[in-house]
Amino acid sequence: MILPLLLSVMICIPASAQLRAEKAALDSDNNRILATNGISVEVSGKLALCSHSEKGSIILDVKGGLAPYTYRWNTLETTKDRTNLFAGTYTVEITDAAGTVHIERIVVQPPYPLILNPLEKTDASCGSGNDGSAKISVKVGRGEPYQITWSNGMKDTWEVTNLAPGFYSVTIADIFNCDVTTSFEIKAASEGMQVSEVIENLSCSGQNNGSINLDIKGGQAPYTYKWNTGSSSQNLSNLAAGTYSVLIKDQTGCSFQASYSIKEATSIQLEEKLLPESCAGAGNGEIQVTIQGGSAPYTYIWSNGQTSSKLSGATAGNYSLKVTDALGCTVEKHFTLGTASALELELIEQTDISCAGSNSGTIRLKVKGNSGNYATKWLDDPSAGLNRENLSAGTYQLLVSDESGCTVSKSFTIADAEPIQARIETALDVDCTIGTITGVAWVSIQGGVQPYKISWSNGENNAREINFNSSGSLKVQITDALGCTAQTEVRVDFPSQINKAGRLDFDYRKLEINSEPEVQVDEEIIFESIISEEFIGWEWSFGDGKSSKEKDPIHKFEIAGNFEVILTAYDIYGCSSTEKNIIQVNAPLEFITIPNAFTPNGDGLNDMFIPKLRALTEFSMTIFNTWGEKIYSTNSLETKGWDGTHQGQASPPGNYLYQITYTSKDGEQFTKTGGVTLIR
């Protein structure tokens, strides 16, 4: 608990002030004159903060003088008592009805950390012992005296002894009753130890991966262990199946004895039943396995990716199975699946299409392993024989059956040839200097088989690139090494001349108008271009290493000097024109003007105290009242200035002092001090 600090202050004013404060009262019976006593004040409330989230309060008990009293605080408040206060010094002027003045200064202390060192404790030797102890100390605080309260009733002592096992707490409070509490436990070994075990039996048959892990509670550490294996460690690992016993003793001689069993794992046994494939390629073979031993559930992974205990839809061949039980134990077995009939189709030759869209495909086959005679049937042409010729691109399916009733079906895909793809591309080769134009056309070819024969409509042959000098249609025919052909055509336009009549010019001006007509460093300058429609692209060079592709860019020069600004424009043929201009950029002179008064009345005129600044790199300002207390400070060039308040309260009108420090662009530092009048 945090208790408010009661501060009682009695101040006697001089006799001369007391005489002035006296007020005569006429008694109609005896004409006695009664004099008032001096004013005395008792101060209470919350006069110290324990955290930054708290607020202080001041309660005044005024006696003496002649009531009623008036109050005026240094923060301009006129109430007797104050609440919701930040840390700081508060001054109140108390005036009684006779005009006697009493001044009281009260300090609300700021928060100060109270940090304890880690608590030092000694546990009890056993559960019934009272020989535990604890010791606490302050690492950071306001200094002696501290109030110390232990939960066992001890007070104002840094160390307590004779503690029984249990939970305790201690509270430390400083001179202002700001406190911090820490809790701790005094432990002890019980008369008997409590031991729990985690046993891992053998996961797989034949392995020695059993383990026994013990968790000890009670007693008094350290403990000693004696296993029937000769081991003296707490836990055992890499154990075979069997029984293991241990004797545990604590430091006081208390003992615990127990035995644990590691169980053997049962091995996994596989039994299979095979159903051969009826006909070669039929894919109806099966392998069914059953499992004995291990720990269910089981997982299955066949060599063909199936994951059940039954392999189905299998063709003749070799297969393997890996079985894993719930403990991670595995067994693997291989199987060979046969077939009742070996009817098979063998592809001897397959020819794809040589030229796109032609009928030049072939399929040649051989039947093997048939039982007796066989019959063939193509789905697209049942009358066709085993071998096929003059086929177009597509998929062909053949069904073959023998006298045993087995059938085999197979599909063959005749791929179409990649068609020859030709594309004519054109460009105009322009000489901007002399104004000549040459048309260039070239053909891009994909597909087919090289080498190609190329025939242009203008009579040129075997040239991928030709020139032209008039508008019209261009055609080209491509023939590849296999005789496959392709043809393409394009319409070309040829201009009669290059247009050189484009107009190019530009102006510039400041983006923000001010009293300085010259261009200054770091001022935004907008460049306004005059560019004819014949130009489709443009680029600016500002002479300071910077450039822009905007039509009307905004630019700032970072240093003073003369800069040649060049505007270059380009037409559709890549020909360019330029316009140049020299711009002089001046370095601004530093400037500071400090007002001597301001009126923070919210009318928008002279509401803030802030100097006028120019061409400065650093700036700081501090405001003091006439008592020398700092009430405002800033170090930002972007500050709006002092608004005449302090800690959220309006400062009284009057004179204040300022100290201003600034640095010019050349690095020279200046300091100015003076006074400013706050007018309300």
Side-chain angles (χ1 to χ4, degrees):
M1 175 180 288
I2 301 175
L3 300 177
L5 177 67
L6 179 63
L7 178 62
S8 178
V9 179
M10 177 75 75
I11 299 179
C12 295
I13 62 175
S16 57
Q18 182 174 351
L19 291 176
R20 290 195 301 269
E22 291 178 349
K23 181 179 179 182
L26 181 62
D27 188 314
S28 58
D29 295 330
N30 53 20
N31 294 326
R32 289 185 301 108
I33 297 177
L34 300 177
T36 62
N37 296 323
I39 298 174
S40 64
V41 179
E42 284 189 357
V43 180
S44 60
K46 186 172 182 56
L47 302 180
L49 307 184
C50 295
S51 70
H52 291 282
S53 61
E54 292 185 334
K55 298 294 178 60
S57 63
I58 299 175
I59 300 173
L60 302 180
D61 183 10
V62 182
K63 298 178 180 178
L66 186 63
Y69 309 98
T70 61
Y71 306 87
R72 181 177 178 84
W73 295 83
N74 62 333
T75 55
L76 305 184
E77 297 286 337
T78 58
T79 60
K80 179 174 77 74
D81 300 324
R82 300 293 304 280
T83 59
N84 200 32
L85 298 178
F86 292 98
T89 301
Y90 296 85
T91 304
V92 61
E93 182 181 281
I94 305 172
T95 306
D96 70 358
T100 301
V101 176
H102 177 87
I103 295 176
E104 192 78 24
R105 185 182 295 260
I106 305 107
V107 176
V108 177
Q109 298 289 337
Y112 192 88
L114 179 56
I115 303 174
L116 305 180
N117 287 310
L119 183 136
E120 302 173 22
K121 69 183 184 70
T122 302
D123 291 330
S125 60
C126 59
S128 59
N130 296 330
D131 53 356
S133 64
K135 184 178 181 181
I136 194 68
S137 61
V138 175
K139 183 176 182 180
V140 176
R142 303 182 200 258
E144 299 283 354
Y146 292 103
Q147 303 173 39
I148 308 167
T149 303
W150 297 86
S151 58
N152 68 343
M154 297 294 292
K155 291 185 177 181
D156 297 333
T157 178
W158 295 103
E159 183 176 6
V160 291
T161 58
N162 301 325
L163 297 179
F167 291 90
Y168 299 85
S169 64
V170 57
T171 300
I172 312 295
D174 65 13
I175 191 173
F176 294 108
N177 289 318
C178 293
D179 63 12
V180 63
T181 298
T182 184
S183 300
F184 60 96
E185 179 185 7
I186 297 296
K187 300 179 180 179
S190 62
E191 289 298 327
M193 289 176 286
Q194 298 176 358
V195 180
S196 60
E197 72 280 355
V198 176
I199 296 177
E200 293 289 342
N201 293 313
L202 300 189
S203 59
C204 301
S205 178
Q207 296 184 356
N208 294 336
N209 59 355
S211 65
I212 303 172
N213 295 311
L214 303 181
D215 182 24
I216 316 299
K217 294 182 179 178
Q220 184 172 342
Y223 308 99
T224 60
Y225 308 87
K226 185 176 181 181
W227 293 88
N228 59 344
T229 62
S231 174
S232 59
S233 62
Q234 179 177 345
N235 303 316
L236 298 182
S237 59
N238 301 321
L239 300 178
T243 300
Y244 300 85
S245 59
V246 64
L247 176 65
I248 306 172
K249 289 186 177 182
D250 70 357
Q251 190 179 28
T252 64
C254 296
S255 63
F256 174 88
Q257 189 169 4
S259 296
Y260 309 98
S261 295
I262 300 294
K263 297 180 180 179
E264 177 70 79
T266 58
S267 61
I268 304 174
Q269 302 293 330
L270 296 182
E271 293 184 1
E272 69 276 3
K273 181 178 180 181
L274 279 67
L275 178 63
E277 182 184 27
S278 61
C279 299
N284 56 359
E286 294 180 356
I287 304 175
Q288 174 71 58
V289 296
T290 57
I291 299 178
Q292 294 180 348
S295 299
Y298 309 96
T299 58
Y300 308 84
I301 300 179
W302 291 88
S303 54
N304 68 347
Q306 293 191 32
T307 56
S308 66
S309 62
K310 180 180 181 180
L311 177 70
S312 58
T315 58
N318 296 318
Y319 297 89
S320 63
L321 171 64
K322 182 178 181 180
V323 178
T324 305
D325 72 356
L327 299 177
C329 303
T330 63
V331 64
E332 191 167 353
K333 193 169 185 179
H334 299 272
F335 310 91
T336 299
L337 187 65
T339 182
S341 175
L343 181 63
E344 182 181 356
L345 270 175
E346 180 182 354
L347 177 63
I348 302 301
E349 181 184 7
Q350 178 175 321
T351 305
D352 293 328
I353 303 301
S354 57
C355 290
S358 66
N359 299 328
S360 57
T362 62
I363 301 174
R364 299 189 183 279
L365 301 169
K366 181 180 180 181
V367 177
K368 298 191 305 181
N370 54 294
S371 176
N373 296 323
Y374 64 87
T376 62
K377 181 180 180 181
W378 293 92
L379 296 186
D380 66 302
D381 185 0
S383 64
L386 182 63
N387 299 314
R388 304 287 298 273
E389 294 181 348
N390 302 321
L391 298 176
S392 59
T395 299
Y396 300 86
Q397 187 172 2
L398 172 63
L399 180 64
V400 179
S401 60
D402 63 9
E403 293 181 356
S404 69
C406 287
T407 61
V408 62
S409 178
K410 199 166 187 179
S411 295
F412 308 90
T413 298
I414 301 297
D416 201 352
E418 182 180 1
I420 301 174
Q421 297 179 352
R423 185 178 71 255
I424 297 175
E425 300 183 59
T426 64
L428 295 175
D429 188 1
V430 180
D431 190 329
C432 299
T433 304
I434 62 178
T436 62
I437 305 174
T438 301
V440 181
W442 64 95
V443 61
S444 300
I445 306 172
Q446 291 182 339
V449 179
Q450 298 190 46
Y452 306 109
K453 292 181 181 180
I454 304 172
S455 299
W456 292 90
S457 57
N458 66 350
E460 293 194 44
N461 295 320
N462 297 327
R464 288 212 179 192
E465 182 178 304
I466 63 171
N467 294 331
F468 64 91
N469 53 15
S470 63
S471 300
S473 178
L474 284 178
K475 297 180 182 179
V476 67
Q477 179 173 300
I478 310 299
T479 303
D480 72 354
L482 299 177
C484 304
T485 62
Q487 185 172 301
T488 186
E489 181 179 359
V490 69
R491 174 74 185 178
V492 295
D493 294 321
F494 191 85
S496 58
Q497 64 178 0
I498 300 176
N499 190 344
K500 292 187 174 182
R503 181 186 171 202
L504 184 66
D505 197 2
F506 71 88
D507 293 324
Y508 66 91
R509 60 180 173 84
K510 295 184 179 183
L511 190 62
E512 182 178 342
I513 299 175
N514 55 39
S515 60
E516 297 289 343
E518 296 85 2
V519 176
Q520 302 288 331
V521 171
D522 291 333
E523 280 190 320
E524 290 186 324
I525 308 300
I526 183 170
F527 292 86
E528 300 173 321
S529 61
I530 303 172
I531 301 175
S532 298
E533 294 181 356
E534 290 80 4
F535 296 110
I536 62 171
W538 45 83
E539 184 175 9
W540 294 83
S541 175
F542 300 108
D544 58 354
K546 304 293 180 61
S547 62
S548 174
K549 293 186 181 298
E550 296 182 10
K551 188 175 182 182
D552 298 312
I554 297 174
H555 183 67
K556 291 195 300 184
F557 294 93
E558 297 178 353
I559 60 174
N562 293 326
F563 299 92
E564 183 181 49
V565 179
I566 303 174
L567 171 60
T568 304
Y570 304 90
D571 62 14
I572 60 174
Y573 304 110
C575 298
S576 63
S577 297
T578 60
E579 180 68 21
K580 303 179 181 179
N581 205 338
I582 301 297
I583 297 181
Q584 181 178 347
V585 179
N586 299 320
L589 299 176
E590 64 269 10
F591 172 81
I592 182 167
T593 300
I594 306 172
N596 58 11
F598 72 114
T599 58
N601 54 12
D603 62 355
L605 300 175
N606 201 26
D607 284 334
M608 311 290 287
F609 174 63
I610 182 65
K612 303 296 182 182
L613 310 172
R614 187 179 70 184
L616 303 181
T617 60
E618 294 181 357
F619 167 81
S620 65
M621 179 176 72
T622 305
I623 306 297
F624 304 88
N625 60 18
T626 55
W627 295 338
E629 295 177 318
K630 181 171 71 175
I631 60 175
Y632 173 80
S633 66
T634 182
N635 58 3
S636 171
L637 284 167
E638 306 299 327
T639 182
K640 294 182 180 179
W642 181 42
D643 60 358
T645 64
H646 176 53
Q647 295 184 347
Q649 302 290 333
S651 298
N655 295 323
Y656 295 84
L657 302 178
Y658 63 79
Q659 178 178 308
I660 296 173
T661 302
Y662 61 93
T663 303
S664 64
K665 285 186 175 294
D666 57 8
E668 188 174 1
Q669 191 177 75
F670 301 89
T671 299
K672 292 182 178 294
T673 58
V676 60
T677 301
L678 189 157
I679 303 173
R680 294 192 182 277

